[in-house]
Amino acid sequence: MRNYSVLILISFFVIACSSGDKQPADTNFSVTGIFENTAGQTIYLEEVGMGKAVPVDSTVVGEEGKFILYGKTEDPNIFLLRINDGAFNYLLIEKDEKVKVTGDAQTLAKEIHVEGSTGSQQLADLNMRLYRLQIAIDSLTQIRDQIYQDPDKKDELSEIISKANALVTAHKEFLFSFIEENPSSLASIAALYQQMGRQKLITPNESMATFKMVDSALMANYPNSIHVKNFHSNVGKMGSEIRQQAMAESKKLLDMGSMAPDISLPSPGGQVYTLSSLRGKYVLLDFWAAWCGPCRRESSTLVANYAKYNKKGFEIFQVSLDKTQKAWQDAIIADKLSWPYHVSDLQYWSSAPARLYNVSSIPANYLLDPDGRIIAKDLRGPALSAKLAEIFR
């Protein structure tokens, strides 16, 4: 009877151990692997969240370094594969994938070999390429430092710098190519965020269109993904910061005493007029439109001042924010705006000169001195008349 009991116990133990190889019903992907130098250690699979990692599964690695882990995801998701509290690497796993990984605990952070998961393979390749780039740059940096110590070799310095720049440029070209080919992969987020030390390889200031392309593709495919939502939020913040920076720089360019940015656009008759061609005269650069009531009410002031001071060296250069040439021409005739310098690209609020001069409402104007420098802004009605009287007294 005792032998029979032992047999039952052994049979139960075998079944229990075997059931670990069968995927649990509440999971939809698996990660099997062999890691060297890990026997007896615990390996963890954790879902990467915003600022934290959520435990998914764990197991003790067998004597041959073998392990199997299970998890569940509906959208492509990023997971951390971690050995105890030490080495780790990332996987990008999709639903129903059977991921196979191999590696070495001692080099896991630098290198991992993946099969059965395109996203994970992409992450591993991106990581390895960046690691190799860093090694190459570090090597060139050491040579550069040696050259600094040897006066006889300083002519080689530019060659070393050129090599380093070429390596970085080639890697950036690879990143852009990868992103173009995989805009809807979460791996493209990793590519966009790659950096060497504190230096970002792809910056929003230079490549905002690429960030927006990836954002659009990911939001269309995985709008519920926490990583996609976070990236979408970051892209929005980046865009806002860039716009604010551009506005600040534009405002600085348009400070009193600054040279007025040039404008060159066609008139209603097709003749191209350029703002800088009026150097030597005081010029009122005026932004208006036929549909703008306040602008039209300012017309009488402009006409009166033009008649009074034109022969003394005063000119008006008007930029219209109209949509149609007919409306623009009809307003010029109706308001008796007799000066020749009427220009427009008929782009409404998308008018290039309006963006250049940071115009967000009309009427808006800038008074320029004979050198083309800004000496006053937004002079209307009596204020414009008073300023011109002061200039031409």
Side-chain angles (χ1 to χ4, degrees), residues 31 37 40 44 79 81 156 186 302 315 348 367 376:
V31 180
N37 301 305
Y44 301 87
F79 295 88
L81 199 58
E156 300 175 20
L186 267 68
L302 298 183
E315 194 55 78
Y348 195 47
L367 184 62

Side-chain angles (χ1 to χ4, degrees), residues 28-334:
N28 60 15
F29 73 83
S30 63
V31 180
T32 59
I34 302 175
F35 280 165
E36 297 178 24
N37 301 305
T38 56
Q41 297 189 58
T42 302
I43 190 162
Y44 301 87
L45 180 69
E46 299 169 333
E47 181 180 343
V48 177
M50 294 300 105
K52 63 179 181 179
V54 180
V56 174
D57 196 8
S58 64
T59 188
V60 176
V61 181
E63 290 185 6
E64 296 179 357
K66 294 182 179 181
F67 63 88
I68 183 166
L69 299 161
Y70 299 101
K72 184 175 183 179
T73 187
E74 295 305 320
D75 289 328
N77 211 342
I78 299 173
F79 295 88
L80 185 71
L81 199 58
R82 179 170 60 84
I83 302 171
N84 289 353
D85 292 324
F88 66 91
N89 211 312
Y90 293 97
L91 299 173
L92 172 51
I93 301 175
E94 295 191 37
K95 178 181 178 180
D96 297 329
E97 285 189 333
K98 297 187 182 300
V99 188
K100 296 181 181 179
V101 296
T102 56
D104 189 320
Q106 296 176 357
T107 58
L108 183 59
K110 302 171 186 174
E111 185 174 13
I112 187 172
H113 300 283
V114 187
E115 295 178 16
S117 172
T118 301
S120 298
Q121 288 173 321
Q122 290 172 335
L123 281 186
D125 184 46
L126 286 166
N127 188 43
M128 178 52 65
R129 284 174 180 269
L130 181 61
Y131 173 68
R132 288 172 180 166
L133 173 65
Q134 187 66 67
I135 293 296
I137 295 297
D138 288 346
S139 177
L140 289 172
T141 300
Q142 289 178 3
I143 297 172
R144 182 202 64 187
D145 292 344
Q146 292 172 2
I147 290 173
Y148 276 136
Q149 305 299 322
D150 189 344
D152 296 331
K153 292 185 176 180
K154 286 195 175 180
D155 57 336
E156 300 175 20
L157 184 60
S158 60
E159 183 181 347
I160 296 299
I161 294 173
S162 294
K163 284 183 179 179
N165 289 338
L167 286 173
V168 173
T169 298
H171 184 73
K172 287 174 67 173
E173 288 175 352
F174 162 75
L175 291 178
F176 280 117
S177 178
F178 173 85
I179 292 165
E180 275 189 30
E181 293 172 5
N182 304 278
S184 58
S185 169
L186 267 68
S188 284
I189 298 179
L192 284 167
Y193 284 157
Q194 275 201 350
Q195 56 187 74
M196 292 179 59
R198 295 184 179 181
Q199 180 185 352
K200 294 178 180 177
L201 293 172
I202 299 177
T203 63
N205 278 29
E206 296 174 342
S207 309
M208 194 61 200
T210 304
F211 279 86
K212 288 182 177 180
M213 175 185 70
V214 173
D215 176 41
S216 178
L218 287 173
M219 285 298 291
N221 286 278
Y222 312 113
N224 297 319
S225 164
I226 187 172
H227 300 289
V228 172
K229 288 179 180 178
N230 184 61
F231 181 69
H232 178 68
S233 175
N234 287 341
V235 170
K237 290 175 184 176
M238 291 174 194
S240 178
E241 289 172 1
I242 290 172
R243 286 192 296 272
Q244 289 176 6
Q245 182 181 353
M247 287 179 66
E249 290 174 355
S250 175
K251 188 175 180 181
K252 187 175 180 180
L253 284 173
L254 299 171
D255 283 344
M256 295 297 180
S258 299
M259 292 295 295
D262 208 4
I263 297 172
S264 185
L265 283 175
S267 69
Q271 183 173 348
V272 175
Y273 289 118
T274 302
L275 179 62
S276 60
S277 68
L278 299 178
R279 297 280 166 79
K281 297 182 179 182
Y282 284 91
V283 179
L284 184 71
L285 171 59
D286 184 62
F287 293 87
W288 76 298
W291 47 263
C292 169
C295 301
R296 302 294 294 274
R297 289 192 288 273
E298 282 292 311
S299 291
S300 59
T301 299
L302 298 183
V303 170
N305 281 295
Y306 184 76
K308 189 172 183 178
Y309 299 112
N310 176 245
K311 291 184 179 179
K312 294 182 179 181
F314 174 61
E315 194 55 78
I316 298 175
F317 191 97
Q318 274 195 306
V319 179
S320 166
L321 273 61
D322 279 298
K323 298 179 182 178
T324 68
Q325 185 165 316
K326 185 178 187 307
W328 176 29
Q329 283 182 297
D330 288 349
I332 292 171
I333 294 169

